[in-house]
Amino acid sequence: GARELAGYLAALAGWVAGLAAAVLPQWRQSSYAGDAIITAVGLHEGLWMSCAAQSTGQVQCRLHDSLLSLEVHIQTSRALMVISLLLGFFGIIVSVVGMKCTKVGEQDPVTKSRIAVSGGVLFILSGLCTLSAVSLYATQVTYEFFRESTIPINARYEFGSALFVGWGAASLSMLGGSLLCCSCPAKECRGQQYHQQPQPSTAREYV
């Protein structure tokens, strides 16, 4: 039960972090590397909007105009993050039903174990989708950073904080899903159920 609860809390934290990563606009940010002057405007871009932060503290954000005009890696990352959040949402519901510390659903330990494992698989798939989305976006940022050799370094883009939040979310989701999958195998539950059955009496009665 403790292992299931730890896995569920880790996966839930990973889902919340994945939701924050999907919403944050800091998937890539303007670089301040190099020996050039630090610009007064910091640019941030995410999956849904782009923002400009002034040195005075004002931040202006603008949603992406058209879905079809976006680059392929942004559209792909969007789709993967949406799928990841949906899988994690269903994983939260299924895991609550299958955990031994809850009284929801079937009381059969074997059935609850299988439901918990299903929730763990959903969390693992959710983490893989988040990992794929973040890694794909990071690969494109790295490629553009080193490809545009004619542009000054401080005018290029580098990794934003949302990428690191996404990597952490993927790790937590996959860790929590793995703990749920390993919490109580079906064979172990069958063995426990078998040993709990009353044994027939072998004593002989003498008349």
Side-chain angles (χ1 to χ4, degrees):
R3 186 182 301 177
E4 280 186 350
L5 183 60
Y8 179 78
L9 292 178
L12 180 61
W15 185 81
V16 174
L19 178 61
V23 175
L24 287 174
Q26 287 87 8
W27 280 63
R28 69 173 185 172
Q29 61 186 12
S30 55
S31 176
Y32 296 104
D35 53 357
I37 304 174
I38 298 179
T39 58
V41 179
L43 302 178
H44 306 276
E45 289 188 7
L47 299 179
W48 313 98
M49 65 181 67
S50 58
C51 299
Q54 306 288 338
S55 59
T56 58
Q58 297 179 351
V59 179
Q60 297 178 350
C61 296
R62 181 177 60 88
L63 295 174
H64 295 314
D65 296 331
S66 175
L67 173 63
L68 299 179
S69 63
L70 293 175
E71 299 181 10
V72 177
H73 71 281
I74 298 179
Q75 297 183 15
T76 306
S77 298
R78 271 187 177 186
L80 288 173
M81 290 303 297
V82 171
I83 294 173
S84 172
L85 294 176
L86 290 177
L87 289 174
F89 177 75
F90 289 117
I92 292 173
I93 298 176
V94 173
S95 299
V96 169
V97 177
M99 292 173 62
K100 291 184 290 186
C101 59
T102 61
K103 296 183 180 180
V104 182
E106 297 289 340
Q107 299 301 320
D108 183 12
V110 177
T111 304
K112 288 184 72 70
S113 173
R114 292 175 179 175
I115 296 175
V117 170
S118 301
V121 171
L122 290 175
F123 279 125
I124 292 175
L125 294 177
S126 174
L128 289 175
C129 289
T130 302
L131 180 63
S132 301
V134 175
S135 300
L136 175 63
Y137 198 97
T139 302
Q140 184 65 26
V141 171
T142 305
Y143 173 74
E144 293 179 355
F145 184 87
F146 292 103
R147 182 192 63 177
E148 300 173 350
S149 57
T150 57
I151 300 178
I153 295 180
N154 66 333
R156 305 176 193 177
Y157 286 95
E158 59 183 20
F159 293 167
S161 58
L163 294 181
F164 300 99
V165 175
W167 278 316
S171 301
L172 287 174
S173 296
M174 290 187 290
L175 175 62
S178 300
L179 290 176
L180 285 173
C181 290
C182 301
S183 59
C184 180
K187 293 182 179 179
E188 181 181 350
C189 291
R190 291 195 188 97
Q192 293 177 357
Q193 188 178 14
Y194 173 77
H195 289 299
Q196 290 175 358
Q197 293 179 353
Q199 300 293 333
S201 177
T202 58
R204 297 181 179 179
E205 296 182 357
Y206 295 93
V207 178

